Amino acid sequence: MKQKVLVVDDDAAILEVLEMRLTAMGFDVVATSDPRKALEATDASRFDLALLDLRMEPTDGMRLMEGLHERQPRLPVLIMTAHGTIQTAVEAVRRGAFDYLTKPFVRDELRSKIARTLATRRWARDRERLLTVGQALASSGVMARVLDSVAQATVEATDADRCVVFQLEQGRLVPMASAGSPPPAWARLEAAASAAMDKGIPITTSGAAEGADGGTIVAAPLVVQRGPAGALVIETAARLEPGDDDLELLALFSSQAAIAIRNTHDLESLKSGAVAALGRMATQVAHEVKNPLAGLRLYVRHLEQHLSKVEDAAGKDLAGKIAVTVDHLASVVAEITAFGRPPELHRVPTALPPLLDECLELARARRPTEGVDIVTAYDPSCPQGRLDARELKKAFLNLILNALEALEGAGRLTVATAYSAATGTVTVTIEDTGPGMTEETLSRAFDLFFTTKPDGTGLGMSIARSVVNLHAGELTVSSRVGEGTRVQARLPLEPVADPARAPGAGA
Ligand SMILES: Nc1ncnc2c1ncn2[C@@H]1O[C@H](COP(=O)(O)OP(=O)(O)OP(=O)(O)O)[C@@H](O)[C@H]1O
Ligand SMILES: [Mg+2]
């Protein structure tokens, strides 16, 4: 497929020359002198590169660039400018242009800058994404979290609306992780996943061709030694055809996901409590070490200041070295204690009902629900909140999974929301009629790595609580043996300025 370039310049002569030269270079070119037409063109399809004239009436190149970036955030833009306005060109780069070209074009400058832009952009974005995925791979063996980060990275690196990672479990395709907006129809995604696994290569299906109103679906098989273990599936909006670039990236990410699955298979054969026990010990030790370390850090800083005052340069140097080492130790400890805790929140306007429905959908695909009566009751008066949808999805998915695991295929699961306008909080209730918890289990349910399940990791509840706490909310559990379990998350819909006064503080 040809790469698409958009050219906007109000000088007809330059426009014509550029169109000719770019077409000769093998690009699919859309050239226009009208910024409005340029915006319409990016609404209609996706470009790999845009060349914009800086000085245009009434919309200058800079404003046009912003408009284009609203439509296609990662579109690399080259700003074209006459010699006199380098300063503005530099400003353009600061505001998000990839580079600038000075007019008249010097021989080969056009070709080399375009080549560099296309290559560097790929390299930069891939490297960044791979880094996140790589970190997730290195930092945890918990597959769901790794796949989660693969899905997220895929959505961020391609222009896909959503990404779902399917895994083959006992002959069934199960969605293990998803990112982006919830899919309008799971069946098409699943069908694409299974087709890709059958063929063993990435496949593309276009929604328009099938008469469906969805966009294009691309599925790449996840191949581990024994054969396909699942598939990574992306879906783009109807107007965005995935490019070669996207397909290559998808292949890259699917191999990362396959590694995650393989690692987990290896880990699973090891697990049997030993890994969990080690994890528990590591966090306990880290907690014990944290406070004395903070004290040590303080003393060293004092010592450093003191030695600096008495002008003992050698001593001060040594104290500085100790400080650096202590800081390093502190960060290692922080990393261990932060295990399972989400990082900062990325708040976006979020409606809870679709989010909870998606969690239910994901959970149902993973656990048997034939005999389970699933009841949802969402409070229609509850407005959208500014919440971290991704983290909350993780939290609620874990809680719903726990309920389904407790029900073992029979009983009732209720997911409900209740809004309180007076406090601006919503209470999400996840309730099951399962066997309930003993007092002992209840008192330890939130402990990292505490589990009563043969193949549990004991992370679900602590992940859920830390996500809710980060939102300045409160997660509570009530449970009775033989009756069932009710888990409630009370969440402020808007960020709370002073977390100390949040409804959940002190819990
Ligand atoms: N709805 C529930 N009904 C009964 N017991 C529950 C329920 N939810 C949690 N528990 C108990 O709390 C324990 C800890 O739950 P948690 O979700 O943290 O870990 P897990 O489910 O064992 O493993 P995983 O890491 O796979 O979630 C469970 O092992 C179980 O004993
Ligand atoms: Mg769990």
Side-chain angles (χ1 to χ4, degrees):
M1 211 196 318
K2 279 186 179 179
Q3 288 184 300
K4 288 189 78 165
V5 181
L6 174 70
V7 187
V8 191
D9 198 318
D10 55 1
D11 181 329
I14 293 196
L15 202 61
E16 199 186 324
V17 170
L18 275 175
E19 184 171 11
M20 236 161 56
R21 286 182 64 181
L22 290 167
T23 308
M25 282 160 68
F27 292 111
D28 187 357
V29 185
V30 173
T32 173
S33 57
D34 182 351
R36 255 181 321 146
K37 289 230 175 79
L39 292 175
E40 279 166 26
T42 31
D43 275 333
S45 70
R46 199 174 46 148
F47 287 88
D48 296 290
L49 175 70
L51 296 172
L52 310 180
D53 186 25
L54 182 62
R55 298 245 164 275
M56 286 187 295
E57 294 295 335
T59 313
D60 69 10
M62 216 95 98
R63 287 241 319 271
L64 179 57
M65 172 170 76
E66 280 158 13
L68 294 177
H69 278 160
E70 270 166 29
R71 289 161 173 80
Q72 201 188 313
R74 278 174 297 277
L75 174 69
V77 172
L78 287 175
I79 290 280
M80 304 180 286
T81 171
H83 268 309
T85 51
I86 287 290
Q87 204 46 50
T88 345
V90 172
E91 170 68 14
V93 170
R94 225 180 43 75
R95 283 169 55 180
F98 185 85
D99 204 345
Y100 58 87
L101 280 163
T102 44
K103 288 196 274 194
F105 304 126
V106 185
R107 223 178 97 82
D108 287 339
E109 194 195 358
L110 183 67
R111 182 184 291 275
S112 65
K113 283 218 166 157
I114 288 179
R116 199 167 70 91
T117 307
L118 292 172
T120 314
R121 162 193 173 240
R122 276 221 47 181
W123 185 78
R125 69 173 201 186
D126 296 2
R127 195 190 51 161
E128 208 178 291
R129 297 303 155 220
L130 282 178
L131 206 66
T132 7
V133 176
Q135 275 166 354
L137 284 175
S139 68
S140 83
V142 184
M143 180 169 60
R145 304 221 337 257
V146 178
L147 293 182
D148 203 55
S149 98
V150 169
Q152 191 65 29
T154 308
V155 166
E156 281 167 17
T158 63
D159 285 306
D161 277 358
R162 64 193 59 91
C163 172
V164 179
V165 185
F166 287 94
Q167 199 193 349
L168 196 61
E169 260 184 16
Q170 289 153 1
R172 257 167 23 108
L173 269 181
V174 176
M176 293 297 289
S178 79
S181 55
W186 287 86
R188 286 185 67 216
L189 298 182
E190 199 182 316
S194 121
M197 287 173 61
D198 287 346
K199 295 220 175 90
I201 48 164
I203 58 141
T204 307
T205 48
S206 156
E210 291 177 4
D213 38 332
T216 300
I217 294 180
V218 185
L222 306 177
V223 185
V224 295
Q225 296 112 321
R226 277 160 288 170
L232 184 74
V233 183
I234 60 166
E235 184 170 16
T236 62
R239 64 187 168 83
L240 290 180
E241 285 287 311
D244 286 347
D245 223 30
D246 291 331
L247 294 186
E248 251 174 65
L249 264 182
L250 201 63
L252 205 69
F253 284 127
S254 64
S255 66
Q256 294 279 0
I259 293 173
I261 291 179
R262 200 187 56 213
N263 283 352
T264 321
H265 283 319
D266 293 351
L267 188 73
E268 227 120 67
S269 51
L270 251 174
K271 207 151 69 179
S272 66
V275 174
L278 267 179
R280 216 164 25 237
M281 196 174 84
T283 40
Q284 273 163 6
V285 170
H287 269 297
E288 293 298 322
V289 172
K290 204 161 77 179
N291 288 338
L293 215 51
L296 198 56
R297 206 164 162 190
L298 210 67
Y299 291 138
V300 172
R301 293 284 175 220
H302 276 312
L303 183 62
E304 203 180 351
Q305 275 165 10
H306 172 74
L307 290 171
S308 158
K309 246 184 239 152
V310 301
E311 290 176 19
D312 180 347
K316 178 181 175 283
D317 197 38
L318 272 177
K321 283 186 179 139
I322 298 174
V324 170
T325 316
V326 172
D327 281 345
H328 173 70
L329 273 179
S331 69
V332 171
V333 169
E335 227 166 81
I336 297 172
T337 48
F339 184 76
R341 191 198 309 152
E344 280 170 38
L345 296 182
H346 298 286
R347 290 178 186 270
V348 290
T350 304
L352 285 171
L355 186 144
L356 291 167
D357 280 341
E358 194 190 354
C359 294
L360 272 171
E361 194 70 44
L362 280 168
R364 283 161 80 149
R366 272 194 231 173
R367 297 285 175 266
T369 52
E370 285 86 50
V372 179
D373 183 16
I374 298 181
V375 181
T376 55
Y378 302 139
D379 184 345
S381 73
C382 182
Q384 289 202 342
R386 269 193 299 151
L387 306 165
D388 189 323
R390 187 181 166 203
E391 292 298 331
L392 283 177
K393 209 156 77 177
K394 204 155 58 182
F396 293 133
L397 177 60
N398 269 303
L399 298 176
I400 291 172
L401 278 175
N402 279 348
L404 288 179
E405 281 157 8
L407 288 170
E408 288 187 88
R412 189 173 61 246
L413 163 66
T414 312
V415 179
T417 64
Y419 176 60
S420 155
T423 55
T425 57
V426 61
T427 302
V428 179
T429 302
I430 294 163
E431 191 170 359
D432 66 71
T433 57
M437 293 185 235
T438 63
E439 249 168 60
E440 148 96 29
T441 301
L442 189 56
S443 69
R444 301 185 57 192
F446 288 105
D447 287 356
L448 261 185
F449 302 110
F450 172 78
T451 181
T452 56
K453 302 169 191 170
D455 53 359
T457 39
L459 284 173
M461 296 289 272
S462 40
I463 288 176
R465 173 168 271 181
S466 65
V467 170
V468 172
N469 284 352
L470 268 180
H471 281 86
E474 186 182 11
L475 188 71
T476 51
V477 186
S478 56
S479 185
R480 282 182 101 114
V481 175
E483 290 180 15
T485 302
R486 173 192 293 161
V487 184
Q488 289 191 305
R490 195 147 66 99
L491 287 170
L493 284 179
E494 294 297 319
V496 177
D498 177 5
R501 287 205 262 141

